Amino acid sequence: MYSRLRQILAANNGVVARSELLDAGLSPSRITELLTAGSIVAERRGVYVDGDLWASLDPYVGRPRLRIRAAVKTLNRGWVLSHDSAALETSMPLLDPTTSRVHITRPGYGSAWTRAGVSHHYAWFDQRHLVIGEDGLRRLDIARTAVDLAREHGELAGLIACDWALRNGVPRTALMEAYLPMAYWPGVRTVRATVERADGRAESPAETLGRDLVEELGIGPVDVQFPVLLDDGRVVWCDLRVGNHVFEVHGRMKYVPAAAGGLAERPVSEVVWEEKKRSRMVRAQGLGVSEILYGDFWGAERSAALKRLRAEYEVTHTRFGAELAPRLAAQAARLRDRLGWRDRAS
């Protein structure tokens, strides 16, 4: 690759406009050769990205963020990143970032359209919600982004965002202040319900989805991050609890080695074996246990999961009753008083 082009790409986070290539002395035919060779990839009309960089990035965060930078090349300074794009810039989780469009917002009222993969929004925002990143990208802050996701994509996507915002130190009052000016905007009722349901103790999107699934059972209020003292002296935190039954949410990444981008720091066989022993010791404390997998949240599998979880809960209900055993309730209160809510998310 032409050395001057490498310099331009490096200075612009792997993105370059056609006009910049022409200004650097590359002819149209040379640009075509680079595209054919895969040295650069056409991400938008007149905007290219580093081919090697594109190939190395994951489809969940890396490539969507590079698409954002390619889109910004074509925009004027009046626009700011919002919705999915602002979320990606802050590591806020999305339901499916691989299908997310680039979202930008400009102060105004009552207009929105999508063109060339970019969703344009005219919407009022307070300058307090404007953040300028280290690379100069302008975006809306976490609180405004979380409520925008709820309006744009519905309660489930918004719940994941609001849980994450609370867990990362954004107070619930900030989320409420972010939606107060939206009194007559479409979707604001969904936003209010989402902020009310949000719980910052959820440690991952999967746990948020698990709480939503268990709440759908209608068997009672769901307690999050329930502490249990095991016979070996360890304190473990069960993801969700209703009565004397706990629900553990298992994501695939905990079984993927860290070297491969997962969370497992030990051989997978050891992770699974420890998990089985933990489950047995939790049951020994007088609690029923159900396991929830990521596939249980969607489609026909969701219906099957709801039926299975209800049946498992009913067994526990019959054995131990509807109310949490006084011994476990007192123990949990002491543990929470001593250890705090897990990471003190509220």
Side-chain angles (χ1 to χ4, degrees), residues 303-319:
S303 298
L306 287 168
K307 183 177 180 180
R308 171 179 60 82
L309 295 174
R310 178 174 289 277
E312 292 170 350
Y313 170 79
E314 290 297 338
V315 171
T316 301
H317 181 277
T318 301
R319 291 184 64 192

Side-chain angles (χ1 to χ4, degrees), residues 214 217 219-224 226 228 238-248 282-283 285-292 308-325 328:
V214 174
L217 292 171
I219 55 178
V222 180
D223 190 10
V224 180
F226 180 71
V228 179
C238 298
D239 296 333
L240 309 163
R241 179 195 61 81
V242 178
N244 294 287
H245 197 86
V246 297
F247 302 83
E248 298 280 53
V282 168
R283 286 187 171 93
Q285 299 305 311
L287 292 164
V289 179
S290 288
E291 296 182 337
I292 300 173
R308 171 179 60 82
L309 295 174
R310 178 174 289 277
E312 292 170 350
Y313 170 79
E314 290 297 338
V315 171
T316 301
H317 181 277
T318 301
R319 291 184 64 192
F320 303 116
E323 298 297 325
L324 179 64
L328 293 172

Side-chain angles (χ1 to χ4, degrees), residues 5 38 60 67 70 102 120 129 141 172-173 263 278 285 302 305 312 324:
L5 173 56
Y60 303 101
R67 288 192 188 99
V102 175
H120 303 251
H129 294 300
D141 69 356
R172 196 181 305 271
T173 52
L263 302 175
R278 177 185 188 273
Q285 299 305 311
R302 184 181 185 91
E312 292 170 350
L324 179 64

Side-chain angles (χ1 to χ4, degrees), residues 77-101:
R77 294 287 293 176
W79 297 98
V80 301
L81 298 179
S82 63
H83 299 75
D84 302 44
S85 298
L88 285 164
E89 290 299 310
T90 58
S91 299
M92 181 183 291
L94 300 171
L95 269 178
D96 185 5
T98 63
T99 62
S100 293
R101 294 190 294 265

Side-chain angles (χ1 to χ4, degrees), residues 56-329:
S56 71
L57 294 174
D58 69 275
Y60 303 101
V61 177
R63 290 186 180 182
R65 290 189 68 188
L66 200 58
R67 288 192 188 99
I68 292 170
R69 280 151 180 76
V72 167
K73 276 282 186 183
T74 67
L75 302 175
N76 62 45
R77 294 287 293 176
W79 297 98
V80 301
L81 298 179
S82 63
H83 299 75
D84 302 44
S85 298
L88 285 164
E89 290 299 310
T90 58
S91 299
M92 181 183 291
L94 300 171
L95 269 178
D96 185 5
T98 63
T99 62
S100 293
R101 294 190 294 265
V102 175
H103 287 260
I104 55 176
T105 293
R106 187 174 186 177
Y109 295 93
S111 181
W113 70 95
T114 298
R115 184 171 61 242
V118 178
S119 289
H120 303 251
H121 305 266
Y122 272 111
W124 180 89
F125 60 85
D126 193 295
Q127 290 299 306
R128 292 177 301 172
H129 294 300
L130 181 61
V131 176
I132 301 177
E134 293 181 0
D135 56 2
L137 286 181
R138 294 149 49 89
R139 60 172 174 81
L140 296 180
D141 69 356
I142 290 175
R144 173 58 185 265
T145 298
V147 300
D148 274 343
L149 288 175
R151 283 200 319 113
E152 180 76 10
H153 299 302
E155 189 167 348
L156 197 55
L159 193 61
I160 289 173
C162 289
D163 279 4
W164 184 90
L166 291 176
R167 179 162 177 76
N168 282 272
V170 176
R172 196 181 305 271
T173 52
L175 297 174
M176 297 171 68
E177 290 171 359
Y179 73 65
L180 283 178
M182 304 176 181
Y184 301 103
W185 294 15
V188 69
R189 290 184 179 180
T190 298
V191 174
R192 294 192 189 106
T194 301
V195 172
E196 183 178 345
R197 290 181 63 195
D199 191 321
R201 291 170 293 166
E203 294 189 314
S204 68
E207 288 190 14
T208 298
L209 294 170
R211 186 172 84 252
D212 178 73
L213 182 69
V214 174
E215 287 176 347
E216 189 174 328
L217 292 171
I219 55 178
V222 180
D223 190 10
V224 180
Q225 295 298 338
F226 180 71
V228 179
L229 179 62
L230 302 181
D231 288 339
D232 63 3
R234 287 186 299 149
V235 175
V236 298
W237 300 80
C238 298
D239 296 333
L240 309 163
R241 179 195 61 81
V242 178
N244 294 287
H245 197 86
V246 297
F247 302 83
E248 298 280 53
V249 183
H250 299 300
R252 182 175 178 273
M253 296 307 291
K254 70 165 68 173
Y255 307 111
V256 177
L263 302 175
E265 300 289 346
R266 297 175 295 168
V268 175
S269 59
E270 292 185 19
V271 174
V272 174
W273 186 243
E274 286 299 319
E275 191 175 88
K276 293 300 182 184
K277 291 194 293 183
R278 177 185 188 273
S279 179
R280 184 178 65 179
M281 286 189 283
V282 168
R283 286 187 171 93
Q285 299 305 311
L287 292 164
V289 179
S290 288
E291 296 182 337
I292 300 173
L293 303 181
Y294 193 78
D296 293 333
F297 302 135
W298 319 110
E301 291 186 54
R302 184 181 185 91
S303 298
L306 287 168
K307 183 177 180 180
R308 171 179 60 82
L309 295 174
R310 178 174 289 277
E312 292 170 350
Y313 170 79
E314 290 297 338
V315 171
T316 301
H317 181 277
T318 301
R319 291 184 64 192
F320 303 116
E323 298 297 325
L324 179 64
R327 176 183 66 84
L328 293 172

